Amino acid sequence: MDIHHPWGFEWSDLVAILTFIGVVATYANFAISHTAKDSNRADFEKLTESIAKLNETMAKVNMVLDSLKADRESTNRRLDKIEATTDRHDIQLARIEEHVMTQDSK
């Protein structure tokens, strides 16, 4: 191999070939990174939309849960009143039964 003509090319030809390969590699790298950025941007926009929809849904769920909690508290208050009334009626019924038993034994 001749040092002045490696692989049968002149030095200027080798420099031109290497420069061309470098330019092609740089362009390919730029094209790939640009495509990746566009893809990431699209994915990020989709993710942002999904998060916004999720936030709306969670707000609705929270409202429904608050409503259910209020309904349950109201139901519990009514149940407590009913239980108290039932206890009073049970006491009255026991007194009536006691009164009737004492009347029957006389």
Side-chain angles (χ1 to χ4, degrees), residues 37-72:
K37 285 179 185 177
D38 288 345
S39 175
N40 286 343
R41 186 177 298 121
D43 290 344
F44 184 73
E45 288 172 359
K46 288 179 185 177
L47 180 62
T48 302
E49 290 173 12
S50 296
I51 289 173
K53 289 178 183 178
L54 178 63
N55 284 339
E56 290 176 21
T57 302
M58 290 306 295
K60 290 177 183 177
V61 167
N62 284 336
M63 288 183 350
V64 169
L65 287 175
D66 289 342
S67 174
L68 288 173
K69 181 181 175 186
D71 289 347
R72 184 165 186 246

Side-chain angles (χ1 to χ4, degrees), residues 33-104:
S33 66
H34 185 69
T35 303
K37 285 179 185 177
D38 288 345
S39 175
N40 286 343
R41 186 177 298 121
D43 290 344
F44 184 73
E45 288 172 359
K46 288 179 185 177
L47 180 62
T48 302
E49 290 173 12
S50 296
I51 289 173
K53 289 178 183 178
L54 178 63
N55 284 339
E56 290 176 21
T57 302
M58 290 306 295
K60 290 177 183 177
V61 167
N62 284 336
M63 288 183 350
V64 169
L65 287 175
D66 289 342
S67 174
L68 288 173
K69 181 181 175 186
D71 289 347
R72 184 165 186 246
E73 289 172 355
S74 172
T75 302
N76 284 342
R77 283 192 301 272
R78 288 187 308 168
L79 183 59
D80 290 342
K81 288 179 182 178
I82 290 170
E83 286 176 347
T85 303
T86 304
D87 290 343
R88 284 194 310 271
H89 288 163
D90 286 345
I91 292 169
Q92 288 175 351
L93 182 61
R95 286 181 182 158
I96 292 171
E97 287 176 349
E98 181 183 343
H99 181 66
V100 168
M101 292 295 210
T102 56
Q103 292 294 329
D104 286 344

